[in-house]
Amino acid sequence: MQLEKIVAYHKALADPTRLRMLLLLSQGELHGQALAERLNLSQPTVTHHASKLREAALIKERREKNIVYFSLNPSFIREHAQASVDFIFKSKEVTEMSEVNETLKASVMRNFFSKDGRIRQIPAQYKKKLIVLGHLAEQLEFGRKYTEKEINAFIQNYHEDFATIRREFIMHQFMYREDGVYELNPKEMWTRWDQVK
C-alpha cells in the first residue's frame, strides 16, 4: 500500500472526537443527531468530523428521507491498520537484512561504471538497474531538497539521460517529488535489489 494512503488514514484518525465517533459506531449504525447527543457536540461539529471520516473511507453513510445514518467501514479500517503494521515491521526486517549478494554488486559496479565514475549504460536487467540507481542515490544528501534543475545536473555527471534516471528514482522510491522539489526517501523505502527474485 502506498505511503500516502497510510498517512491519509492516520490523519483522519488523529483527532479524539473522530476516534470517539468510531468507537460509538462500532456498536452499530447511528444518525447524526444521536452522535451529537452522545458526544455532547453540536450537529455541525459532528457533520464536520463525519465528513473527514467519510473522505478517508473510515465510515459509510446512507440517507433515509432527511436523516443521515453513519456506520463503520470495518474491512477498510482493518486493512489500513494492518498496512501500517506491515510497513513498519517490513522496514525493520529490511534494515536488519545483510547484503546477500556482494559478488553481483561488485560485478555491476565494475561492468556498468567507467573508471571516472560515469555510467557506461543503464542496465536492462531490473536487479542490476536497482544497484546502479542505489549507488547514484547514495551520492545525494539526505535531508536536502533539490530542484529539478539540480537533480538533472547531478545525474548528468553520471549519464546523459537524466530524464529516465530521474523518473526511475521516483518509481523505485529512492526519491520523493512534490511541487518540482526532490528529496531522498529514507533508505528503508528504497526498492532493494537484494530482495528481487
Side-chain angles (χ1 to χ4, degrees):
M1 183 172 294
Q2 292 178 346
L3 181 59
E4 292 79 12
K5 289 183 178 178
I6 295 172
V7 170
Y9 167 79
H10 286 284
K11 278 185 180 175
L13 290 176
D15 184 281
T17 299
R18 288 180 216 147
L19 285 172
R20 288 166 58 216
M21 285 175 71
L22 292 173
L23 184 62
L24 287 173
L25 292 173
S26 72
Q27 306 302 310
E29 184 180 68
L30 289 169
H31 58 74
Q33 188 59 43
L35 277 170
E37 288 169 8
R38 294 204 187 172
L39 294 168
N40 197 25
L41 296 170
S42 69
Q43 185 71 41
T45 301
V46 167
T47 302
H48 165 76
H49 287 295
S51 72
K52 296 286 187 191
L53 291 169
R54 191 181 63 250
E55 285 168 17
L58 295 169
I59 63 171
K60 299 180 268 190
E61 69 172 47
R62 70 175 180 87
R63 288 186 177 271
E64 200 172 283
K65 295 183 182 177
N66 292 333
I67 300 173
V68 179
Y69 289 87
F70 300 103
S71 61
L72 289 183
N73 187 355
S75 59
F76 184 90
I77 293 170
R78 288 189 184 101
E79 178 188 321
H80 279 64
Q82 188 60 51
S84 301
V85 171
D86 292 346
F87 177 81
I88 292 165
F89 289 102
K90 179 182 173 211
S91 294
K92 183 173 184 262
E93 290 164 14
V94 166
T95 302
E96 291 172 352
M97 279 186 68
S98 61
E99 296 297 332
V100 294
N101 200 340
E102 285 301 318
T103 306
L104 174 64
K105 185 174 181 180
S107 167
V108 168
M109 296 302 290
R110 190 171 53 251
N111 294 326
F112 287 92
F113 285 91
S114 60
K115 288 182 180 177
D116 65 359
R118 287 185 59 80
I119 300 169
R120 290 191 178 106
Q121 70 181 57
I122 300 170
Q125 188 184 0
Y126 184 55
K127 189 181 279 196
K128 292 177 181 177
K129 181 166 62 175
L130 289 175
I131 292 171
V132 168
L133 291 171
H135 175 73
L136 291 186
E138 286 171 351
Q139 312 312 308
L140 292 163
E141 293 176 43
F142 280 99
R144 178 176 166 188
K145 296 182 188 305
Y146 294 88
T147 64
E148 191 164 293
K149 187 176 179 181
E150 288 173 324
I151 283 295
N152 292 347
F154 164 79
I155 295 168
Q156 282 180 310
N157 290 325
Y158 298 92
H159 197 273
E160 63 277 358
D161 190 356
F162 59 84
T164 296
I165 292 176
R166 190 184 67 224
R167 190 168 50 250
E168 296 277 358
F169 275 161
I170 302 300
M171 283 172 46
H172 301 295
Q173 303 290 324
F174 290 97
M175 298 196 87
Y176 170 78
R177 178 183 60 214
E178 186 173 22
D179 299 327
V181 177
Y182 293 73
E183 190 172 352
L184 281 174
N185 278 323
K187 262 192 168 181
E188 292 82 7
M189 290 176 65
W190 296 4
T191 303
R192 288 179 57 119
W193 64 269
D194 56 351
Q195 293 181 341
V196 173
K197 292 179 181 173

XYZ file of all heavy atoms in Angstrom, residues 2 8 16 24 26 32-33 49 70 76 117 122 166 172:
113
model
N 0.466 2.244 -0.740
C 1.263 3.459 -0.841
C 1.333 4.181 0.491
O 0.362 4.242 1.239
C 0.662 4.389 -1.891
C 0.782 3.859 -3.308
C 0.138 4.796 -4.300
O -0.602 5.685 -3.932
N 0.423 4.575 -5.566
N -2.775 9.310 5.025
C -4.138 9.873 4.992
C -5.043 9.176 6.005
O -5.850 9.820 6.686
C -4.720 9.759 3.585
N -9.325 13.231 18.690
C -10.062 12.480 19.725
C -11.560 12.352 19.432
O -12.162 11.312 19.703
C -9.830 13.290 21.009
C -8.655 14.160 20.737
C -8.596 14.372 19.259
N -18.268 4.786 19.067
C -19.731 4.693 19.154
C -20.304 3.911 17.971
O -21.203 3.085 18.132
C -20.355 6.099 19.197
C -20.187 6.872 20.506
C -20.702 8.295 20.360
C -20.923 6.170 21.649
N -18.903 1.615 16.362
C -18.558 0.185 16.439
C -19.689 -0.612 17.085
O -19.778 -1.828 16.926
C -17.251 -0.017 17.207
O -17.439 0.223 18.592
N -26.812 11.298 12.716
C -26.016 12.435 13.166
C -26.472 13.032 14.476
O -25.649 13.384 15.328
N -27.784 13.154 14.662
C -28.310 13.761 15.895
C -27.966 12.897 17.111
O -27.590 13.408 18.172
C -29.831 13.945 15.788
C -30.445 14.727 16.929
C -29.865 16.134 17.071
O -29.672 16.834 16.089
N -29.558 16.540 18.297
N -16.738 16.378 11.381
C -15.891 15.223 11.651
C -16.330 14.006 10.831
O -15.479 13.238 10.351
C -15.887 14.895 13.142
C -15.093 15.874 13.949
N -13.730 16.023 13.816
C -15.481 16.771 14.896
C -13.304 16.962 14.644
N -14.350 17.433 15.308
N -24.852 6.896 9.859
C -23.438 6.586 9.690
C -23.145 5.188 10.224
O -23.735 4.759 11.219
C -22.563 7.592 10.451
C -22.762 9.010 9.996
C -23.520 9.898 10.756
C -22.201 9.463 8.805
C -23.709 11.205 10.340
C -22.377 10.766 8.386
C -23.134 11.642 9.149
N -12.113 -1.803 5.653
C -11.153 -0.761 5.273
C -10.283 -0.378 6.482
O -9.070 -0.238 6.354
C -11.906 0.471 4.762
C -11.017 1.566 4.264
C -10.620 1.612 2.934
C -10.560 2.558 5.124
C -9.792 2.626 2.472
C -9.728 3.566 4.678
C -9.345 3.606 3.341
N 33.760 7.033 -13.019
C 32.522 7.028 -12.242
C 31.258 7.223 -13.055
O 30.155 7.187 -12.511
N 22.703 2.166 -18.894
C 21.728 1.823 -17.851
C 21.389 0.346 -18.035
O 20.979 -0.066 -19.127
C 20.458 2.692 -17.960
C 20.807 4.178 -17.802
C 19.427 2.264 -16.918
C 19.675 5.125 -18.132
N 15.965 10.164 -13.502
C 15.142 10.929 -12.547
C 13.806 10.231 -12.330
O 13.326 10.076 -11.204
C 14.935 12.347 -13.086
C 14.317 13.309 -12.089
C 14.059 14.663 -12.731
N 13.037 14.550 -13.746
C 13.094 15.114 -14.955
N 14.138 15.833 -15.317
N 12.114 14.971 -15.816
N 11.038 3.922 -8.108
C 11.567 2.900 -7.208
C 11.805 3.427 -5.798
O 12.570 2.852 -5.032
C 12.835 2.284 -7.807
C 12.588 1.654 -9.145
N 11.767 0.560 -9.313
C 13.004 2.004 -10.382
C 11.707 0.252 -10.599
N 12.439 1.114 -11.270
